[in-house]
Structure formats: structure tokens, C-alpha cells
Amino acid sequence: MLLWISDEGGNRTFFNNAWCEFTGISREDSIADGWLSAIHPDDQAFYHRTWKEAAYYKNRFQLEFRLRHAGGSYRWVMEQAMPVISATGRVEAFVSSCVDLSARNSDELRNQGNEARFRAVSEAAPLGIFVTDRDGNFVYTNNRFQRSSGQSAEESLGSGCLKAIPVEDRERVQKNWCASIKSAHSFEY
């Protein structure tokens, strides 16, 4: 975890060893404004606005931005900062911690790619496909499922798909569906 302390003007006055190791910038070079060079140029204006607003209102803040790693690449990090307020109500400093989010963001991107591939395959499939949550509520239906059920995407979500089943079969189908979910066995209509 990267840690640092800023004075009331936003100048950094302390950095821990983890900061120096992560960024490759020495403590001496980081003091005052030297740390700014580690923030991605596209994120600097947003970072400054957030910091100034937090200092003005004496608020804690949390934000995500890209920070240059010692290897030269930028990594997504999340900073959380807390003001240190004097007895007179003046902000004396901010204490900040920062964690590397790169692994989380890489996983999110990979999952987005997997979801896009699943949707492309399911939309091209010649049969109705649906996905449910743990409770059996439909969270996704493909176009073929919607056409065969006579429902729009919105109508088929949740428990709306039951409306596509003939009234005389609904109770039986719902009972079998719930039993299938609880037992993790296949379900046939």
C-alpha cells in the first residue's frame, strides 16, 4: 500500500518506501511537486480538481487514476485521502493511501471480452438461450428465445418468461423450474 502525507497546500511532505518502489521515484524527488510527474497527463486536471474541492470542503475523497509504475507503464490505482483537521477547524494535512487496481481492471476487461463473445455466439445460435441468477430470475435472453416466447427482451427478464407459458402449464413449469434450480439438475419444459 502506497502512503503519503500532504500539507494544507497539497505539497507532499512524506512518502513511504512502497511509493518509492512502485513509482521508481526517490523520496527526495517526490517531495513538494515532484510526485506529479507520476500521474498520467490525462488524469492530472481531474486529480487536481478533486483534491482542491476536498481541501476546500475539508472532505475525505476517493478517486481512481493512472500512476506510472517504475517499469514505465501506467497502472490504475485508487487513492483514499483523509483530512487532518486542527482544533480550530483548519485543514493541516491530508493522509493518503493508494492501492494498485491493475489486476482488478485487467480481470474486468477480460470478463467484458468473454461476455461480448458469449452474446455474439448466443445471438447467432439457432435456439433459444437464457441465463438466470441464483434465484431463477432470467437476466438474459437471446433473440431466438424472445421470438419463440413472443416477448421483448424486457418482458422476458425476471419472471416475465412465465407469461409465455400457457396458463394451464405455469404452475407445473414453475414448480419444476424451482426444483431444478435447488438441485442443480437439468430442466425440461
Side-chain angles (χ1 to χ4, degrees), residues 17-34:
N17 287 336
W19 162 268
C20 299
E21 291 169 12
F22 184 90
T23 63
I25 304 173
S26 71
R27 214 177 254 114
E28 296 75 26
D29 290 339
S30 296
I31 297 295
D33 286 341

Side-chain angles (χ1 to χ4, degrees), residues 2-3 12 18 20-22 32 40 46 55 59 61 78 82 108 118 130 137 147-148 155-156 166 171 180 182-183:
L2 315 179
L3 300 172
R12 303 283 167 90
C20 299
E21 291 169 12
F22 184 90
H40 191 282
F46 174 69
N59 289 334
F61 70 88
M78 180 178 62
M82 172 80 74
E108 286 177 5
F118 166 77
F130 60 88
N137 296 306
R147 282 195 305 273
S148 65
E155 291 169 330
S156 66
E171 187 176 331
S180 174
K182 288 179 184 172
S183 68

